[in-house]
């Protein structure tokens, strides 16, 4: 499906193969992004290092006031604005799981204004979508709107950086026809034991 | 000027400080992006690893048919589309130097259709701007247009990935008010010995 | 949730109540659109008469070369373009059921260019989205593109009219905060016996 | 002119022919929309039932605080935003007649901000145009702006529903090349006896 | 109505007053643009000198293959794209008179694709609207499309320059609330003797 | 480079040649716009009369509270919004000289929100860009925002008229491939004696 053929696991450098096997172990399948980008190991390593620094901040010894669900919500909303199928489906799944809300990903992807989320999350997504679509217009008032919901400047950096990073991811996925694994579509929609 | 204070060199991890000193040695000044991102070392490392993998492919043992000038031209054109002051000014400077054309950066930034560039570069920028602004609409015909100018699918990956990566960079710079160093504005416009 | 309170079933005119009970019998729940619009019986009757004329053409003694799945696919794609949560979720569910493809609704809603659909369906959606967003620019070439896929002018009327009608529906749902029933989100994603 | 041939009056079902003859009697000509849609009687009936429910609310036993002129003004402004020639010309004519203002239709169609209308009507059109173009962004503040001018939620439903219904009409007219009758262009611009 | 008060005729420089009286003599009224701009005589003189050079080329000893009707059609279409009430109404009137078509101005203003004009005029308006809205994208193919209809490069200069000049005029009229004289609305719609 | 050949100086009418020689004397070169437009003397005269009335108000006996730098800043910002290479480069040069700020033109052209300018100038550019891109939406609040910075209605006329006039200039330059003289690119970036 993807325009660029995926490498086989055995042809990959050891560090990349190890991480991929670990993900497969945990998820039950290998998300396509891990294979699609692996054809260029240096880019793969940079991509996942960046990903982890933003999405798993504790892996870098940093804490963050954004929950795991908040982070995935940002990814889902901005990826929908960029019409990226891979990221909406894959991160929508993770969002459902983290937020324990089977409906929230579809809501956030179609129109975040109608989603069953907190006012704090609504403000977070308004900012993320502005960074996504009109980052050159961000100004003081945008920071003030987030401060009013208790976000500090480190949190705002997180929101902007996650948006910016997945804007990169969205463009890579769309241009190369990266397709979401079928497993993602159902994850988090039904109680876990019912998943294969 | 930047919203987020820059760390001081001595507070930085050794690897980051070493790279920054190397750049300073070579350029005569420290481009602000090196300091602005260094407040988060893990993100800094991922950013520059990604940067190098795309902009200095030989550093990863990969060759590319895109010249250094081609690469900077993509950055300048797409950063202008994103209205990112830092990247237009900084990468416009490098573009002028690599292409040895003092006028080309301004031309590409204002309207690439009027720039004094080759038809191959024009096609490259048309594609890059589509990835930048409407990546979800990329389709077979866009690849065909580049193939007609001799680009292969690896080159196209390069064009798309550079565009995607600097889309990330543009958003980080704009949201955080990262300002280009004054030195960049003049670089490549006058013969080198006339620069301070 | 909706801004406008739903009437109770017993307060509704007999014809409306009968239809609603029939739908409830068949679906296991009452889709909110039936109740949300029922507060104005004359509009309700016109809305569902129009709906049936377009979506159930055999009810008016007319046949159509568009399948039930084709029709719902048009609704899902154009409702996503209008960012209408109710219609994307409700009609996405029906689309999954009719097409027997658990993944197709999400694909069509996020980016129909990436969806696993036939070239004929792709052309159908291209036309529908143009009617949805730029109907004033429709011209002869747009008809020709559909003729090339075997659609005749009656089919094209169907595509345009379904798009136009659900454009109405999208605006009514969005302005009034009509929310999709939770049941819709999962319909057609899992084998039927697993649904409540 | 229209892409789809008009049926002849004698071929139409009795109820449709009767309504059309009544309109002809009253107007002196048959507005093309009545013939253009009549080729599909079920859609015709639903269309005019919906039309009457919104534009002639007293026909359904409902009163409304929107005047006839207000209603036609909404149609003219939103149809202009959709660049629908038929509806701008036909409903602009009716607007001139109801408002007894020969200039108002052109003003509202070109730029409602410059029209000689009341502040209440200006607010009404601002809302209608938002429903027309960005219904997914409607929120509480939009309702509040109308409440400040004395509109209640039933009036707002009227404004939104008229906008939504004529959005359907606009798309049908544009895609099918429905052309306004020449008579409409002059109606309401000159004292009545001077019309042919 | 206008934000900036009109000067009185007797306060105007002799050359300006003379021209205005001549126009009044010919038209039966003074179009507001003549008074609105006269508060700054130097700008007035430049504006009308430019106007005459483009709209009355024979006044400068130049002939043109664009008819008077063609010229006014360009003004009407592009002023509608800019939503300029003054120019659509005033130049729509002149267009009706020159083309001897009472309906053409409304058609061109609402959607030139539906207007009863020649294919040559359609191509002319397509080009004018591109100059109006996306002049930076004009390229060789746009010239070729006009050449195919018999326009030469001098004609194309005329089309572009008229579009550019009235883009100036549109912005001056809109920002300053310049209102069209009531007389314009009816001109060219009814046989001349019926005008007051 | 330009699509339309430039006339030679000796073929030009005396008044035009004299002005051009005067400019050449002063600048050291003939800016291309003087030659590009001279092929049509009547338009040339109107263009430069208008230009002078707005950009050199004292030439018409009028003073203005806008500085020379303010005026060129408006031209640079709006020409960048119109992606006009000639005007961004030529007027950016003059802006640098008048403001004595070598960096300001690039800042204003890429994103005026990041430019090192006064809050008064920022408000001036916000208004100019709205006149440039959405003049039909200008309303009372836009005037009030400028009044708050000390601009009066005459100043606002200046801002709007300069924007409108250079919108004309931008379209003429872009459609005709008018290229900026190479000299402009460096002007005002380096101390004057270093210019050739």
């Amino acid at each position: 499906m993807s325009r660029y053929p995926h490498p086989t696991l055995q042809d990959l450098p050891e560090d990349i193969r190890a991480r991929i096997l670990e993900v497969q172990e945990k998820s039950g399948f290998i998300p396509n992004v891990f294979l699609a980008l692996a054809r260029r190991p240096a880019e793969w390593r940079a991509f996942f290092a960046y990903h982890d620094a933003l999405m798993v901040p504790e892996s870098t010894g940093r804490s963050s006031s954004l929950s795991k669900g908040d982070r995935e919500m940002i990814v889902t909303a901005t990826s929908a604005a960029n019409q990226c199928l891979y990221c909406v489906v894959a991160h929508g799944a993770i969002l459902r799981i983290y937020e324990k809300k089977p409906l929230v990903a579809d809501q956030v992807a179609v129109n975040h204004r109608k989603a069953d989320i907190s006012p704090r999350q609504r403000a977070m997504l308004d900012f993320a979508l502005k960074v996504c679509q009109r980052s050159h217009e961000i100004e003081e008032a945008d920071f003030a709107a987030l401060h009013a919901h208790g976000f500090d400047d480190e949190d705002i950096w997180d929101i902007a950086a996650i948006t910016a990073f997945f804007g990169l991811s969205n463009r890579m996925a769309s241009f190369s026809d990266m397709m979401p694994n079928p497993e993602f579509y159902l994850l988090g929609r039904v109680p876990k034991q019912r998943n294969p």
Side-chain angles (χ1 to χ4, degrees), chain A:
Chain A
M1 192 81 78
S2 169
R3 180 172 193 97
Y4 294 86
H6 290 180
T8 54
L9 268 182
Q10 60 266 37
D11 293 337
L12 292 177
E14 180 50 33
D15 61 321
I16 294 180
R17 185 170 55 239
R19 169 77 180 266
I20 291 179
L21 290 173
E22 180 189 1
V23 169
Q24 186 180 30
E25 173 80 15
K26 191 171 156 194
S27 311
F29 62 95
I30 305 174
N32 285 330
V33 65
F34 285 89
L35 293 172
L37 297 183
R39 54 195 303 284
R40 291 198 173 182
E43 296 173 31
W44 188 99
R45 290 186 188 104
F47 182 92
F48 287 103
Y50 219 140
H51 174 279
D52 293 351
L54 294 170
M55 301 301 278
V56 197
E58 56 279 13
S59 72
T60 70
R62 186 171 65 81
S63 71
S64 162
S65 79
L66 269 65
S67 72
K68 289 180 176 186
D70 289 342
R71 292 169 191 276
E72 296 295 336
M73 195 179 286
I74 294 167
V75 182
T76 304
T78 58
S79 298
N82 285 331
Q83 294 191 238
C84 174
L85 181 62
Y86 185 87
C87 295
V88 170
V89 172
H91 290 274
I94 311 177
L95 169 59
R96 285 188 294 267
I97 292 171
Y98 283 151
E99 289 284 291
K100 296 190 189 0
K101 288 182 167 180
L103 314 187
V104 74
D106 295 339
Q107 294 167 349
V108 159
V110 177
N111 187 353
H112 78 287
R113 294 171 195 81
K114 307 294 183 187
D116 178 24
I117 57 178
S118 70
R120 177 184 158 282
Q121 289 175 320
R122 166 68 194 270
M124 176 185 80
L125 295 185
D126 285 344
F127 183 83
L129 286 161
K130 188 166 181 183
V131 171
C132 177
Q133 298 180 308
R134 299 177 287 130
S135 62
H136 62 289
E137 294 184 9
I138 292 283
E139 44 193 351
E140 190 53 37
D142 300 302
F143 282 79
L146 290 180
H147 293 160
H149 284 280
F151 292 106
D152 66 18
D153 280 7
E154 289 303 315
D155 299 328
I156 297 175
W157 178 289
D158 274 17
I159 301 171
I162 292 169
T163 299
F165 176 76
F166 282 93
L168 178 162
S169 183
N170 295 163
R171 285 169 179 79
M172 292 306 293
S174 285
F175 114 88
S176 69
D177 267 348
M178 191 190 298
M179 299 301 284
N181 306 57
E183 290 87 344
F184 281 125
Y185 290 80
L186 198 56
L187 275 176
R189 295 188 186 273
V190 288
K192 205 173 173 190
Q193 65 279 24
R194 295 165 82 181
N195 289 341

